[in-house]
């Protein structure tokens, strides 16, 4: 287990941690914020990032010889989006509830490309089922855009179309083959359950911790959103892609992103349906 934890933390992780701390502490000096509180808050962001990364590694390690690994991780890494959706519905704001999962549909492909470049397998990843990958990414991104393009009282029509399109994309996803692992198993299968719990709660607290850090460093919200929130909110998917590509599971990494995009559409569908069930359509 000790060796596993050491291998789970790479140079890229440490660089990201340093950049996060430097960003918030630097902003506190530039914008006359509270340096000490900014440093503490940045440390909290790093801690959450560590928990997310370790959770992803545990989940993949326990499922490394299971067929459909990419599909499974595509569902699991959407745990934080699910929590944000529920929070939005509890406050009665369907647009806010759907914004997190739908917004991730634009960041996920960028993260896949970034992970492929970091792992130096960009061309190999690009050639792996590229027709399905491109079709799925474009359609799910288009559905996300169309959600905001139609009036709220027409969202039930959007639900029907989105359900049909996403359903076909999920059914048509390329099959994954199980790979027999010759490595010694360091982690018990039951470890996946606490790892999923940690992943969901760490993903949920990531945004509040970043928001607290932004308040302490007094950085403009636009700067925080563009450089920090957009990246850190999708950290689970990015870490998952890195872990899969490092194991040369190209199709699994692609399906992690495409299934995540499909799941985001389903979360938005569930949010809209729940909202209209509770309030009734207003036409």
């Amino acid at each position: 287990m000790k060796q596993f934890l050491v291998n789970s933390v790479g140079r890229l992780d440490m660089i990201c941690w340093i950049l996060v701390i430097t960003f918030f502490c630097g902003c506190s000096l530039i914008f006359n914020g509270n340096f000490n509180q900014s440093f503490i808050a940045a440390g909290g962001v790093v801690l959450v990032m560590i928990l997310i990364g370790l959770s992803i590694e545990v989940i993949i390690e326990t499922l490394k010889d299971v067929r459909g690994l990419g599909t499974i991780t595509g569902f699991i890494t959407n745990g934080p989006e699910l929590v944000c959706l529920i929070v939005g519905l509890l406050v009665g704001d369907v647009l806010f509830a759907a914004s997190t999962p739908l917004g991730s549909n634009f960041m996920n492909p960028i993260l896949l490309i970034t992970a492929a470049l970091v792992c130096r397998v960009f061309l190999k990843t690009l050639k792996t089922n590229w027709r399905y990958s491109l079709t799925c990414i474009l359609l799910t991104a288009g559905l996300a855009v169309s959600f905001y393009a139609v009036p709220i009282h027409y969202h039930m029509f959007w639900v029907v179309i989105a359900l049909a399109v996403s359903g076909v994309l999920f059914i048509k996803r390329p099959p994954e083959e199980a790979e027999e692992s010759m490595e010694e198993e360091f982690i018990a299968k039951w470890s996946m359950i606490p790892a999923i719990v940690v992943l969901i709660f760490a993903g949920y607290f990531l945004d509040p911790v970043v928001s607290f850090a932004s308040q302490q460093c007094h950085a403009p919200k636009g700067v925080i959103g563009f450089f920090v929130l957009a990246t850190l909110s999708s950290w689970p998917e990015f870490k998952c892609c890195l872990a899969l590509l490092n194991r040369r599971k190209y199709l699994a990494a692609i399906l992690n992103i495409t299934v995540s995009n499909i799941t985001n559409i389903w979360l938005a569908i569930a949010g809209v349906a729940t909202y209209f069930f509770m309030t009734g359509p207003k036409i």
Side-chain angles (χ1 to χ4, degrees):
M1 175 64 75
K2 180 179 179 181
Q3 184 63 36
F4 169 78
L5 294 177
V6 172
N7 294 336
S8 299
V9 178
R11 182 181 302 175
L12 180 64
D13 296 273
M14 291 185 284
I15 292 175
C16 290
W17 303 341
I18 294 173
L19 289 176
V20 167
I21 295 175
T22 302
F23 176 85
F24 286 113
C25 292
C27 287
S28 68
L29 295 176
I30 296 173
F31 300 106
N32 297 321
N34 189 317
F35 181 86
N36 293 333
Q37 291 294 330
S38 297
F39 180 81
I40 295 174
V45 175
V46 169
L47 175 61
V48 173
M49 292 169 66
I50 292 174
L51 292 176
I52 289 174
L54 291 178
S55 299
I56 291 293
E57 289 286 350
V58 170
I59 292 169
I60 293 178
E61 189 68 15
T62 57
L63 298 175
K64 60 185 176 183
D65 56 348
V66 175
R67 181 177 180 178
L69 177 59
T71 300
I72 294 173
T73 56
F75 286 127
I76 294 174
T77 53
N78 281 68
E81 283 88 347
L82 173 61
V83 176
C84 293
L85 177 76
I86 294 174
V87 172
L89 290 175
L90 290 176
V91 299
D93 190 341
V94 66
L95 294 178
F96 170 76
S99 63
T100 299
L102 292 180
S104 297
N105 279 8
F106 298 95
M107 182 57 64
N108 284 346
I110 299 176
L111 295 175
L112 175 62
I113 295 173
T114 304
L117 290 173
V118 170
C119 297
R120 299 179 181 179
V121 292
F122 176 75
L123 292 179
K124 182 65 177 180
T125 305
L126 185 65
K127 295 177 181 178
T128 304
N129 291 91
W130 68 270
R131 289 185 178 86
Y132 173 81
S133 303
L134 183 61
T135 301
C136 184
I137 289 172
L138 290 178
L139 287 178
T140 51
L143 288 172
V145 172
S146 64
F147 177 83
Y148 296 99
V150 299
I152 189 171
H153 50 271
Y154 289 130
H155 277 166
M156 286 306 296
F157 296 102
W158 178 89
V159 165
V160 175
I161 297 174
L163 187 60
V165 173
S166 59
V168 172
L169 289 173
F170 184 77
I171 294 173
K172 294 294 184 180
R173 74 191 188 281
E176 295 180 75
E177 296 294 333
E179 296 185 12
E180 295 184 2
S181 177
M182 301 301 294
E183 303 174 4
E184 182 182 354
E185 184 176 353
F186 293 100
I187 300 181
K189 295 293 184 183
W190 60 264
S191 303
M192 181 178 64
I193 297 177
I196 293 176
V197 174
V198 172
L199 173 64
I200 293 174
F201 280 95
Y204 171 71
F205 282 109
L206 181 59
D207 181 71
V209 172
V210 173
S211 298
F212 174 73
S214 68
Q215 293 173 1
Q216 299 303 317
C217 70
H218 294 173
K221 291 184 178 179
V223 175
I224 293 290
F226 185 81
F227 288 103
V228 182
L229 285 180
T231 301
L232 297 187
S233 62
S234 297
W235 191 249
E237 284 83 358
F238 182 58
K239 286 292 296 182
C240 192
C241 284
L242 285 176
L244 291 172
L245 291 176
N246 281 327
R247 290 168 170 81
R248 298 299 185 261
K249 294 180 179 290
Y250 307 109
L251 180 57
I254 291 173
L255 287 176
N256 171 63
I257 294 300
T258 55
V259 171
S260 178
N261 273 23
I262 294 172
T263 305
N264 285 330
I265 297 297
W266 288 348
L267 289 175
I269 291 173
V272 172
T274 302
Y275 175 78
F276 278 116
F277 176 79
M278 294 188 303
T279 64
K282 299 177 182 180
I283 302 178

